[in-house]
Amino acid sequence: MMVLQPITAVYQYILAPVAPFAWFGLKTSTLDLLATIRLCLALRQIRESLKREHFKRASGKQSEGVIAAVESRSFVRDALTTLVVVYGGEAMICPYISVPASFMLSGTTPLLCIVTQALVESIPPPIIPIPSPNTEFPLSIFDACNRAFLLCSIVPAVVLSSPIAEASGSPWTLLLSSFVLANGGFFLVNLFSLLQPTALAVSTPPELLPYGWTTTDLWCAPLVTGLYATLTHAQPFWADVHAVLVGLLGGAVDGEGLEKLQPLDAETARAACALVLTGLFVSRTARTFGVSFKNGAADKIKTN
C-alpha cells in the first residue's frame, strides 16, 4: 500500500476547503476549482475545433447537401452546456432512486461553473491552446483523479443515501447509476448538438455510433465503481465478490474467512481506483493522438 500513500495525501490536500469559500462555510475545494476550469476550457476547445471543421467543410464543399448556417453563440447556451455536462447524468438517475439532485440543494457549484465559463469565454481564441500530447498526457492524470473522486466518493454516496432499500442495497443500481452519472451529461450534449456551431438539432451521439460502446469513459465508470465497492464492501454483495476473488487468487477463504475478510478504507480504495484510471486515461490519450510507447519513449505513429 506504500505506492498509494502519495495519492491519498494528494487527495487530502486537494479536497480541503479553500478560501474564500471556506470563510462562508462552503466546502468548495481545490479539486472543485481545478475540475471546473478544466471542464470549461475543454468544452471551449471542443467548440473551437468543431467550428474550424465546419468552416473547412463549407469552404471545401465536402458535404453532401447544404451546410447548416453558423449560429451566433450566446453565453447562455455555453453556460447551459456546461451545466448539462455536470448535472445531466444526475438529473437522469436521481428521480429513479428518490434522491434530490445536488443542484437543488446548493447553488454554489452551479454558480462556480457559470462564473468559470464566463472567464474562459473572455479568453481570445488565439490564446486557447489546441489539444496536443504535450498538454493532454499530464491532464490525463488529473482527469483520472477527478473521475476517481466522482466514481468512488460521489456515486456510492448518492446510491446508498436512497430511501428505497431495494435501490440502496442493489449492486445493479450502483453500477447503472455510475454509468449514467458519469456519461449522461455528455450524452445529452451530443444528442442536442449543444457544442456544434450551428443551431440546436437532434443528432446521433457518438456512443450510439458503430463501436461507440468501446469508448473508455463508458465502460470504465461501472468498472471502477465496482472495483471500489468490492474493496470497501459498499454493499453486502460486494463483500461476497471480494471473498470469491480472494479465493480464486489462492487466498484461504472459508466460512469463517468470509467474515474475517476486512475491507479497505475508503481513501486507500479511492487511491487504487485513481491509479487504475490513470493507466486507462493515459492509454486513451495515446490512442487519440496516435502515440506508441517504445523503448521508454513516446513515438508518433506514422499514418498514411
Side-chain angles (χ1 to χ4, degrees):
M1 299 301 176
M2 293 294 294
V3 69
L4 300 179
Q5 289 181 356
I7 303 176
T8 301
V10 169
Y11 270 117
Q12 292 174 348
Y13 176 77
I14 63 177
L15 290 177
V18 295
F21 302 97
W23 301 343
F24 303 97
L26 303 175
K27 297 182 179 180
T28 303
S29 64
T30 302
L31 180 61
D32 294 326
L33 295 176
L34 294 178
T36 304
I37 295 172
R38 163 64 169 158
L39 174 62
C40 293
L41 185 57
L43 292 177
R44 175 79 186 273
Q45 289 174 320
I46 294 173
R47 290 201 308 270
E48 296 292 341
S49 175
L50 291 174
K51 183 185 294 185
R52 288 193 297 269
E53 292 178 4
H54 181 86
F55 285 140
K56 182 178 179 180
R57 290 196 302 270
S59 62
K61 298 181 180 180
Q62 299 174 1
S63 65
E64 298 178 359
V66 180
I67 291 287
V70 173
E71 185 178 66
S72 298
R73 300 294 301 192
S74 71
F75 173 72
V76 174
R77 175 173 173 176
D78 295 335
L80 175 64
T81 302
T82 302
L83 294 176
V84 170
V85 171
V86 176
Y87 294 110
E90 191 177 353
M92 293 168 67
I93 203 67
C94 282
Y96 293 99
I97 58 177
S98 299
V99 174
S102 62
F103 58 83
M104 295 297 296
L105 303 177
S106 173
T108 303
T109 302
L111 288 175
L112 176 63
C113 291
I114 294 173
V115 171
T116 305
Q117 187 67 52
L119 294 176
V120 170
E121 292 303 318
S122 66
I123 302 175
I127 301 180
I128 299 295
I130 297 177
S132 66
N134 293 334
T135 59
E136 293 304 312
F137 274 115
L139 288 173
S140 295
I141 300 175
F142 172 76
D143 291 341
C145 293
N146 185 38
R147 185 61 60 89
F149 178 73
L150 169 66
L151 300 178
C152 300
S153 298
I154 295 181
V155 172
V158 169
V159 174
L160 294 177
S161 66
S162 172
I164 305 174
E166 291 82 359
S168 61
S170 169
W172 170 249
T173 301
L174 181 64
L175 297 182
L176 181 61
S177 299
S178 176
F179 180 81
V180 175
L181 280 169
N183 300 290
F186 267 109
F187 181 86
L188 293 175
V189 166
N190 291 323
L191 177 64
F192 295 109
S193 307
L194 288 172
L195 290 171
Q196 295 290 340
T198 55
L200 298 184
V202 176
S203 60
T204 305
E207 296 86 352
L208 299 183
L209 294 175
Y211 298 101
W213 59 270
T214 62
T215 305
T216 301
D217 294 74
L218 286 180
W219 55 264
C220 80
L223 173 67
V224 171
T225 298
L227 174 61
Y228 175 82
T230 301
L231 294 175
T232 60
H233 300 180
Q235 296 168 323
F237 171 82
W238 300 106
D240 296 336
V241 172
H242 193 182
V244 170
L245 292 177
V246 170
L248 292 176
L249 294 174
V253 177
D254 52 18
E256 296 181 356
L258 288 174
E259 300 178 358
K260 295 180 180 179
L261 190 61
Q262 297 297 319
L264 289 179
D265 64 274
E267 291 188 354
T268 302
R270 183 178 59 198
C273 293
L275 196 60
V276 172
L277 279 170
T278 298
L280 293 175
F281 282 11
V282 168
S283 299
R284 179 191 63 183
T285 302
R287 293 193 302 272
T288 300
F289 291 97
V291 175
S292 65
F293 297 94
K294 298 179 180 179
N295 300 323
D299 300 321
K300 193 75 176 177
I301 296 178
K302 295 182 179 179
T303 55
N304 295 328

